[in-house]
């Protein structure tokens, strides 16, 4: 493992968490959007993450052992896509709404503000953990360079 691989790995986490926070903010902003561009209610979006390199634990362990013998590529996380949540839309009774159907129900997005705020807190804490990992790696590198003086 190279000297700066820890910073690179934490950097991939920062990028992924930033995208997750952006998608969560978009979900919150569209929580009441009954007509999206396609004419349907807004669909909640989710970010799909995967390990960079796409291997399982056994593959990662083998790769780490091979990296000990020579240089290799650092791991990390990557965003593999943003997908729509398949949860059904909510039906809200509001006969006075221009969006109401014949029975008086309005089809609302499948976005729960409680779920989105919980996700946002989790994403913020993960982002902060990546920042802490970067700061720790930086201080270790600084201490190592101090020993080499």
């Amino acid at each position: 493992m190279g000297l700066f691989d820890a910073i690179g790995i934490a950097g991939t986490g920062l990028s992924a968490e930033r995208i997750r926070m952006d998608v969560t903010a978009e979900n919150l902003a569209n929580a009441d959007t009954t007509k999206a561009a396609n004419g349907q209610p807004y669909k909640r979006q989710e970010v799909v993450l995967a390990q960079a390199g796409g291997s399982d634990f056994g593959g990662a362990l083998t790769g780490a052992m091979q990296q000990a013998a020579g240089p290799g590529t650092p791991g990390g996380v990557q965003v593999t896509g943003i997908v729509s949540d398949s949860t059904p839309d909510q039906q809200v009774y509001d006969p006075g709404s221009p969006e109401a159907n014949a029975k008086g129900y309005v089809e609302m997005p499948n976005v729960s503000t409680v779920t989105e705020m919980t996700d946002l807190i989790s994403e913020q804490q993960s982002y902060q953990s990546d920042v802490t990992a970067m700061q720790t790696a930086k201080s270790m590198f600084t201490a190592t360079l101090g020993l080499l003086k």
Side-chain angles (χ1 to χ4, degrees):
M1 182 174 227
L3 186 62
F4 296 105
D5 287 349
I7 291 177
I9 291 169
T12 64
L14 288 172
S15 297
E17 293 304 328
R18 175 57 192 230
I19 292 170
R20 287 183 65 207
M21 285 189 268
D22 288 344
V23 169
T24 301
E26 181 181 339
N27 288 341
L28 283 169
N30 288 297
D32 292 326
T33 303
T34 58
K35 293 270 188 202
N38 62 1
Q40 298 296 317
Y42 176 80
K43 292 288 186 189
R44 179 178 184 265
Q45 303 293 307
E46 295 178 318
V47 177
V48 179
L49 301 176
Q51 176 183 341
S55 63
D56 61 356
F57 178 75
L61 181 60
T62 303
M65 291 186 336
Q66 290 172 351
Q67 285 180 8
T73 59
V77 65
Q78 62 186 4
V79 175
T80 59
I82 299 174
V83 297
S84 294
D85 186 5
S86 61
T87 307
D89 294 330
Q90 302 173 21
Q91 299 290 325
V92 177
Y93 184 71
D94 186 7
S97 172
E99 304 293 329
N101 62 16
K103 295 181 180 180
Y105 286 95
V106 178
E107 203 170 347
M108 297 295 288
N110 59 347
V111 177
S112 167
T113 55
V114 174
T115 301
E116 298 304 322
M117 290 304 295
T118 304
D119 287 349
L120 194 58
I121 291 168
S122 172
E123 293 154 5
Q124 184 269 333
Q125 290 173 342
S126 296
Y127 190 91
Q128 185 60 44
S129 295
D130 288 328
V131 169
T132 302
M134 287 184 103
Q135 290 172 340
T136 302
K138 179 184 164 194
S139 67
M140 287 177 17
F141 300 145
T142 303
T144 302
L145 290 174
L147 291 173
L148 297 175
K149 285 184 180 181

